[in-house]
Amino acid sequence: MSAWLEVVAPGPLATVQDLGRTGLGALGVGHSGAADAPALRLANRLLGNAEAAAAVEVTFGGLEVVAHGEVTVALTGAPCPMTVDGRAHWGFGVVTVPDGAHLRLSAPDTGLRSYLAVRGGIGGPQQLGSRSTDTLAALGPTPLAPGDTLLVGSPTGPLPGVDLAPVAHPVVGDVTLRIVDGPRADWFTSGAREALVSEPYDVTADSNRVGMRLSGPVLARQRDEELPPEGMVCGALQVPPSGQPTLFLADHPVTGGYPVIAVVVGPDLPLAAQVRPGQRITFVRVPSAPLTPGASHD
């Protein structure tokens, strides 16, 4: 009989995520997927899974699951203290969870989102080629709740034999994100474009997988007409009439009617996904967007 995990407590938010739904934006389907894709990829590599295998994205810890059948797991992203039947285990390594054991995650000291992967991947049906939960479009499985079960797939490759993957922890204090000019940068005054990169913005509590509302210098427009809906990408800094920007994340809408002053470059999107409410972001303008595997603007 295949192993499975029973959810006892999901914490503030826990969802199933893989690498998302690609190439469907023109049909009105967002990309979604892991907000910190490199962390998901690393967890899967530690277990010998395909990098795109589904795992649990845990927001600010609090997840508790019971193993039904022995399972092997890895935890990456925000470093949550982890226990198995009360015994502490370090993240960023491979841990065996015996049949009937309780795995618990506490709140991380730094960062926001952690990834609990299981050898064989999280199974279950796909929707439009992905098991990811899109919280905005209500695609994929619903956010995890007590009593939910997570099927565990069959391993497809050997374990790599790596006990620990040392990686840098998410930034504790102010975070710097690189941006390029957005498609409607010319709708804003020169003073607004300068203010965006000269003063920090606070991340407000009104933030989730869709995006982060920021509080800081008001970004004044020099054009006031209405803008027809345009395509949106992950990392877009959209500015509503309040002049306070919103930074779109993994579950962003595929279109929007407010102008985009700038876009966070792909390699910095995983860093943005780990920023907590209360932290400050400083934007730095760069002339062009570097590319990196695992970061997508779909």
Side-chain angles (χ1 to χ4, degrees):
M1 180 178 178
S2 298
W4 50 284
L5 299 175
E6 177 186 354
V7 177
V8 177
L13 176 68
T15 59
V16 174
Q17 299 293 340
D18 52 26
L19 292 181
R21 300 174 178 86
T22 59
L24 299 175
L27 302 177
V29 179
H31 186 278
S32 192
D36 183 347
L40 173 71
R41 293 178 185 272
L42 174 60
N44 279 321
R45 289 199 304 272
L46 285 168
L47 296 169
N49 294 340
E51 288 191 343
V56 181
E57 180 182 277
V58 184
T59 303
F60 207 62
L63 178 73
E64 179 181 352
V65 296
V66 178
H68 293 266
E70 182 178 277
V71 296
T72 304
V73 302
L75 181 71
T76 59
C80 289
M82 176 173 59
T83 63
V84 176
D85 277 352
R87 176 177 293 183
H89 291 271
W90 181 248
F92 302 97
V94 176
V95 176
T96 297
V97 183
D99 180 26
H102 285 242
L103 182 152
R104 296 178 176 90
L105 301 180
S106 301
D109 292 332
T110 64
L112 184 63
R113 295 180 170 94
S114 307
Y115 294 85
L116 182 69
V118 59
R119 179 159 166 77
I122 299 297
Q126 295 185 344
Q127 284 190 302
L128 299 177
S130 171
R131 294 185 174 92
S132 286
T133 299
D134 185 328
T135 59
L136 180 66
L139 277 175
T142 58
L144 299 184
D148 284 351
T149 59
L150 298 170
L151 299 178
V152 176
S154 299
T156 57
L159 283 167
V162 176
D163 293 328
L164 189 67
V167 296
H169 287 185
V171 176
V172 176
D174 293 356
V175 175
T176 299
L177 300 177
R178 293 170 292 173
I179 57 172
V180 294
D181 282 339
R184 299 298 174 182
D186 60 348
W187 278 48
F188 296 86
T189 66
S190 59
R193 296 196 298 273
E194 179 60 27
L196 181 63
V197 294
S198 60
E199 299 183 52
Y201 282 82
D202 294 314
V203 178
T204 73
D206 192 6
S207 301
N208 53 31
R209 277 182 48 88
V210 177
M212 296 187 291
R213 293 190 186 273
L214 307 179
S215 176
V218 173
L219 303 177
R221 291 194 201 179
Q222 63 180 357
R223 296 178 58 173
D224 294 325
E225 63 263 39
E226 293 295 324
L227 180 68
E230 295 183 314
M232 288 291 128
V233 296
C234 191
L237 277 166
Q238 188 188 65
V239 185
S242 67
Q244 298 292 310
T246 296
L247 172 55
F248 281 146
L249 297 177
D251 288 352
H252 66 86
V254 295
T255 63
Y258 297 132
V260 173
I261 189 173
V263 180
V264 174
V265 300
D268 288 1
L269 293 176
L271 176 59
Q274 294 293 356
V275 178
R276 298 180 180 189
Q279 286 185 271
R280 283 187 163 187
I281 293 175
T282 298
F283 295 108
V284 175
R285 187 175 287 110
V286 294
S288 60
L291 299 176
T292 186
S296 173
H297 272 193
D298 287 351

